[in-house]
Amino acid sequence: KAPVGGNGKNEWCECDGIIIFDDVMIILEVKGGALSPVSPFSDEEAYKSSLRALAQNPYEQSLRLFEEYKRFGKVELYQKKSKKRYELINSIEGITFIQACCITLDDFNEVASQIEKTEFIQKSNLPVWCVSMNDLRVYPELFDSPSIFLNYLYQRSRASKNPHIKVNDELDHIGLYFEYNDYAKHISDWVEETDTTDVFI
């Protein structure tokens, strides 16, 4: 349960999935809609509406669970058994890193790779990773170690908060990680040394 609506009353809230590995929790939200085929230049509102459905709404669902965990230091998960009956299945605590993962069936790569720097994702301590199913299938081919993958997620979360980094593709994040590991710091140092404002990868 979490506060919902203007009155902040506790209500049952759903979550598509949660992955726990050691002290890391990944909150999964999956959306099956499509990005508006209309150019944002001809119908800006339709384009923004589809971005809200694919990125903003699932992120806000993840944020609700994140804030509930931060408030109490734990979160209880229930399974719905009937219309009014819920059964406790797990109580999660001892988590040190939480990542929101918004998965889309539609591939809006060039937007998803920098969605966290747009108006659709509010500033919070919850890092977001928007990824399409097609891109997600690449990860098992590139990462054969859970600990290296989790380190990548951590480094990616730091990069998403770095205002200097601009990428056009999810795989650019992976390339930068394999090349520099802590690529957020590497680019910040480079920006400082060269007196540059933005780095387009």
Side-chain angles (χ1 to χ4, degrees), residues 46-112:
Y47 193 80
K48 283 185 172 183
S49 179
S50 65
L51 281 178
R52 283 188 200 97
L54 290 175
Q56 185 176 6
N57 293 348
Y59 179 69
E60 287 176 356
Q61 285 177 271
S62 303
L63 195 58
R64 188 170 52 203
L65 193 150
F66 171 77
E67 287 173 347
E68 201 62 13
Y69 179 85
K70 286 296 181 185
R71 187 178 294 123
F72 298 106
K74 69 174 186 177
V75 67
E76 292 181 337
L77 303 180
Y78 290 80
Q79 184 175 12
K80 190 173 184 179
K81 290 294 187 179
S82 64
K83 193 170 184 179
K84 293 187 177 179
R85 187 169 155 263
Y86 294 81
E87 182 181 290
L88 179 68
I89 55 172
N90 200 2
S91 180
I92 300 170
E93 50 191 310
I95 300 295
T96 59
F97 179 69
I98 303 175
Q99 172 85 49
C101 180
C102 304
I103 302 170
T104 65
L105 297 182
D106 197 22
D107 192 357
F108 63 118
N109 208 338
E110 68 283 351
V111 181

Side-chain angles (χ1 to χ4, degrees), residues 23-26 94-99 127 150 153-155 157:
D23 58 352
V24 174
M25 175 164 65
I26 302 171
I95 300 295
T96 59
F97 179 69
I98 303 175
Q99 172 85 49
L150 291 176
L153 268 193
Y154 174 70
Q155 297 298 349
S157 75

Side-chain angles (χ1 to χ4, degrees), residues 119-135:
E119 67 189 79
F120 300 100
I121 303 297
Q122 61 177 313
K123 291 186 186 300
S124 85
N125 292 325
L126 176 64
V128 60
W129 177 35
C130 285
V131 62
S132 70
M133 283 297 295
N134 285 339
D135 280 342

